[in-house]
Structure formats: C-alpha cells, structure tokens
Amino acid sequence: MAGQHDRERSLAELYRDDPDRADAVVWGRRGALKGAALVAMGAAVGAAIPFARHMPAGLVPAALAQGAGGPQFLQMEGKARLILQGERPLNAETPEHLLDDDVTPAANFFIRNNGSVPEPVADPRAWKITIDGEVTGPLEITLGELEQRFELVTRRLQMECGGNGRSGFAPQAAGNQWGNGAVSNAEWTGVRLRDLLRAAGVKDGARFTGHHGADSHLSANGPAISRGMRIDKAMDEDTLVAIRMNGAPIPQMHGAPARLLVPGWPGSLSQKWFTRIELRTAPHTGRGMGGTSYRVPVRPIVPGSRNTGADFTDMESMPVRSVLTSHAHGTRLPAGTRSLDIRGQAWAGDLSVSAVHVSVDFGATWQAMTVAAPPNRHSWQRWSGRIALPSDGYFEIWYRATDSQGRAQPHAASNWNPQGYGANPVSRAAILVG
Ligand SMILES: Nc1nc2c(c(=O)[nH]1)N[C@H]1C(S)=C(S)[C@@H](COP(=O)(O)O)O[C@H]1N2
Ligand SMILES: [Mo]
C-alpha cells in the first residue's frame, strides 16, 4: 500500500506538472476542502491551512501554482537574479521582492527585447535623433546638442511591459508568461519629447507618432519593433527622451545612449536605442502595430477564441496593479509569528492609486493598507501595513490595488485577448508560519 507520504509527494508533483488535474484530484466535485483532501493539500503546501474553510473551490494554492520545473534564473554581470523568460531574444522578469526600492536599481530592472541588443557606440554625444514627418522643419540633432539646447528634467517614472501579468490569463495567451515583474520605476533624466517636437514645428495634421530604434529583428529582417501612439501622449510633460537612468548613463541593455520613456503606457512605446520619431496623420504601421499587437478587445471575446483584432483598440494607459516586495513568495516565518509588517508598490498607468487592500483568509476579509503619495505623477506608490496571522500554518497574502477612478484589480484576469495584454488579477503570495 502506498504510504501517506508517497501520496503527499505525488500531489505536490502533480500540482507542479499538471495543476488542472491535480486540482480535480483534490477538489473533486464537492467544492470544499475537507477530510483526507485537506490533509493532502496541507501536506503538499507544507503546513496546515488555517483558513481552509474560506478557500475558494478549485483554487490552486499559490505555493503550488508554479509551472513545471520552476523558474530559471538569469546569470549576467551587473544584473540581479532575474527570472529568465527567454534567451533569444533576451527577456527577464524581476521577482516582486526585488522591486522593493522606491527607485529601481539598474541591476533589478526587467529586460524586454524583441530583437538583438546593438553594440555600444564609441561616442554617445554624437548619437543622432531625427524628428520628421508632419513637422514644419525636420530636425536632426546629436545628443551633445540636445543637452545644450533643451531643459533637462528628472522624474521617477513607471515603465511596464504591455504584457505584464500575462500568466494570469486562462487559457494561456501567446508571449512571455510574465508574472507582475515586467515593471520598473527608475529615475529618468532627459528632455521632454514635446520640447523637441515643438522645436521641429508640429503641423496641424499631426495626430500620431511613429518610433524607431537601432536594433534589428532576430531574422535580421527589418526593425525589432516600431510602435507609435496618439500625439497627446507625446505632448505629456512626463514623456521623455531619456539620456540618464538613476543619474548614470543608460545601460546598453536598457537602450543606451537614448531611449523614449512613455510612462504608464505599454513599455513597447518606450523605444530603446532611439534614433527617430515621425509625426503622422494616420496611425503608425510599424512592427508591433495593428492586428492583435498591443491591442485589446472593445467588447469581450470568448477566451481562447481566434480573432484578427480588427475590432480591438490600441492599449493605452495600463491598468492598476500592485506588487508585494517585503516578503518573497514562499517565505517561511518562525513558529509563533502572529503579526507581520508588509509593504509593496502600486501603480495605475496615467492614474494614481487610491487604495491597497490585503487579505490573509482567501478573500473573506480585506484590510486597507497605507498608500503613500507619489513623488511625482507617473511614479509608483509605496503601500505598507501590518497584518495579523492567527496561528501557525499556510497562508496566502492576497493584495489588490484600486485606482483613482475606483477600479480595483479583479479576482481573475478579464478581457482575454490572444496576445495577453492587460491581465491584472489580484496577486497571491504564499507564506508559511512554523
Ligand atoms: N528598440 C527597442 N525598443 C524597445 C524594445 C525593443 O525590443 N527594441 N522593447 C520594448 C518593450 S516591449 C518593453 S516592455 C521595453 C522594455 O524595456 P527594458 O528592456 O529596458 O526593460 O522596451 C521597449 N522598447
Ligand atoms: Mo513590452
């Protein structure tokens, strides 16, 4: 007879390899975790589950929800232990607990490439940027001239991949399976894009931008990515042509010597190795525009269905989201720990964050955290608070932010789309006491 121990271990393995099946095995059709199933689940997560009575039917414990084999980590000089999402092109995500700094250090900054990273240039000051299209006087300017001619401003700006949170979608959407960590909040120094555009003379017919960079697609066939946006966003005072990150030259991986920084909108607009911006009367047609790229349904579609994206709309301001940074997912705390000071960051695209709530009883009750004001618009905001843990055992910290228009993170990712944009469900971190 297989011992209880074997059964427990195989359940943990089953959760790792096939969470859906494991779930069916544990939950059956009864919809409540009781008796032997509760014991097995407790063993699989490594502790008793004090709030099991509140655990929603079918919930895969956060402790077991990781994909087969667990994550792989990036090993790169100058970089922290980021979660590797892909090597060609190179993509890496920041674990939430490495987003604890108010200003994201270069080492902890996530990496998102659509092509190959260009070689560094010998003389950054000679790097040229072109402004053309619907302007009265096309401009070509070196970074040396740019610094002389225009006011430099410094801002803390959140930059988040349009696909951040994608792993929250069921069924799985195409692309890197980001958790919440394709986000950063560095201190950027640069020239306001609008100052540059005005210097070139914005024509009345200019409605959209098109962005260009120096990197090429892995196929060596054209640019890696070339996106554009409505001109209003280009004229926002926080949209920068950045030349410094955290007071230092921008690292090569992050777009040296100059990049666009379009805070609060999909990170793909923040062109790295930035060489040219064109103003246009019609939406840009570069790589990453149209179809289902960086576009979301206006009317929800059936999850998993095919769609050409013809009726979709370009993703603009990113939805509200929060990260827990004080405790890594899977943290073990000493037996007898009954209260815990926790903290994290929250942001909401062009909006600000009005509240963050936390639950440790699978959403039965929620507690408001303290949310700090942002140092400037488009910066993320620190949240913090103290939670009570009534006993030893397995807990999940659930955290949920609400934006300044009253929209909270939903319990499940909504508005499914083929390329997986805009998933911002309530997040969960597993905590073991004892
Ligand atoms: N030239 C260029 N710019 C780019 C990209 C790219 O592949 N090439 N990726 C975009 C995407 S999708 C994101 S999310 C951000 C990521 O910036 P990071 O790698 O500095 O974190 O850069 C954007 N700018
Ligand atoms: Mo992105």
Side-chain angles (χ1 to χ4, degrees):
M1 195 185 93
Q4 181 71 10
H5 183 71
D6 292 342
R7 189 171 153 211
E8 288 154 10
R9 206 173 49 208
S10 69
L11 182 64
E13 276 164 9
L14 193 56
Y15 259 108
R16 238 177 357 252
D17 300 341
D18 188 349
D20 289 343
R21 230 191 94 215
D23 223 37
V25 169
V26 172
W27 292 97
R29 286 211 199 86
R30 285 167 301 147
L33 198 55
K34 289 192 205 107
L38 178 55
V39 172
M41 179 75 98
V45 301
I49 307 175
F51 285 119
R53 67 186 182 283
H54 295 313
M55 215 167 168
L59 183 84
V60 180
L64 304 176
Q66 215 126 64
Q72 280 194 293
F73 293 96
L74 176 76
Q75 286 187 314
M76 183 181 281
E77 211 190 310
K79 278 290 180 188
R81 211 161 172 260
L82 305 184
I83 300 161
L84 194 63
Q85 288 281 1
E87 282 171 308
R88 259 181 68 82
L90 183 64
N91 289 300
E93 166 169 5
T94 311
E96 291 191 29
H97 67 278
L98 294 184
L99 293 171
D100 194 43
D101 305 85
D102 289 333
V103 175
T104 310
N108 297 12
F109 207 103
F110 79 102
I111 300 170
R112 171 65 176 122
N113 293 308
N114 291 271
S116 39
V117 176
E119 287 298 313
V121 291
D123 180 9
R125 295 177 63 81
W127 182 271
K128 285 192 188 121
I129 292 172
T130 302
I131 300 106
D132 60 10
E134 294 295 307
V135 292
T136 51
L139 205 66
E140 192 185 71
I141 187 167
T142 64
L143 290 192
E145 290 162 349
L146 187 96
E147 274 196 70
Q148 294 296 309
R149 223 176 119 183
F150 297 95
E151 184 195 353
L152 288 175
V153 296
T154 298
R155 289 264 190 288
R156 287 187 198 173
L157 302 170
Q158 29 105 355
M159 202 261 300
E160 179 179 20
C161 182
N164 201 22
R166 181 176 290 133
S167 63
F169 275 121
Q172 186 170 315
N176 294 310
Q177 294 301 303
W178 304 113
N180 281 326
V183 65
S184 58
N185 195 66
E187 194 162 80
W188 295 96
T189 299
V191 166
R192 290 188 183 97
L193 177 60
R194 72 178 182 198
D195 290 352
L196 220 57
L197 297 180
R198 281 176 184 154
V202 179
K203 283 193 186 168
D204 283 347
R207 294 281 182 277
F208 301 92
T209 62
H211 309 166
H212 303 269
D215 53 335
S216 45
H217 197 248
L218 291 183
S219 62
N221 182 10
I225 190 165
S226 177
R227 302 209 57 239
M229 59 198 179
R230 281 190 295 115
I231 194 152
D232 312 44
K233 185 64 177 174
M235 302 307 276
D236 186 295
E237 62 174 348
D238 287 341
T239 297
L240 305 183
V241 177
I243 55 173
R244 282 202 276 283
M245 178 176 141
N246 300 341
I250 299 174
Q252 189 62 23
M253 187 60 76
H254 299 296
R259 79 176 297 171
L260 286 179
L261 211 292
V262 184
W265 286 33
S268 50
L269 292 163
S270 292
Q271 194 82 39
K272 301 194 275 191
W273 313 293
F274 176 54
T275 54
R276 175 182 166 221
I277 184 165
E278 49 175 316
L279 295 190
R280 306 171 49 95
T281 57
H284 187 44
T285 56
R287 194 190 289 269
M289 297 297 288
T292 56
S293 288
Y294 301 100
R295 283 159 62 82
V296 290
V298 178
R299 282 175 303 281
I301 63 170
V302 176
S305 63
R306 283 174 178 275
N307 199 294
T308 60
D311 299 331
F312 289 13
T313 185
D314 285 2
M315 198 185 193
E316 296 191 334
S317 179
M318 294 287 290
V320 62
R321 189 187 306 277
S322 50
V323 288
L324 171 75
T325 62
S326 55
H327 295 85
H329 174 57
T331 292
R332 280 175 186 271
L333 299 166
T337 304
R338 290 295 172 267
S339 85
L340 199 60
D341 288 318
I342 59 171
R343 62 179 184 276
Q345 314 284 1
W347 62 96
D350 284 339
L351 302 176
S352 60
V353 172
S354 61
V356 172
H357 289 86
V358 167
S359 175
V360 291
D361 55 11
F362 300 105
T365 62
W366 291 86
Q367 182 189 341
M369 300 283 110
T370 302
V371 181
N376 55 250
R377 217 174 121 236
H378 287 123
S379 168
W380 67 20
Q381 293 167 249
R382 162 76 66 188
W383 64 266
S384 58
R386 175 169 292 180
I387 55 170
L389 300 167
S391 65
D392 289 357
Y394 174 85
F395 294 91
E396 292 186 8
I397 300 179
W398 290 13
Y399 39 105
R400 172 187 88 190
T402 303
D403 71 25
S404 50
Q405 293 181 352
R407 271 187 300 252
Q409 292 182 249
H411 284 274
S414 61
N415 208 21
W416 189 95
N417 56 90
Q419 287 186 250
Y421 304 109
N424 65 333
V426 169
S427 297
R428 301 154 55 194
I431 299 283
L432 284 164
V433 183

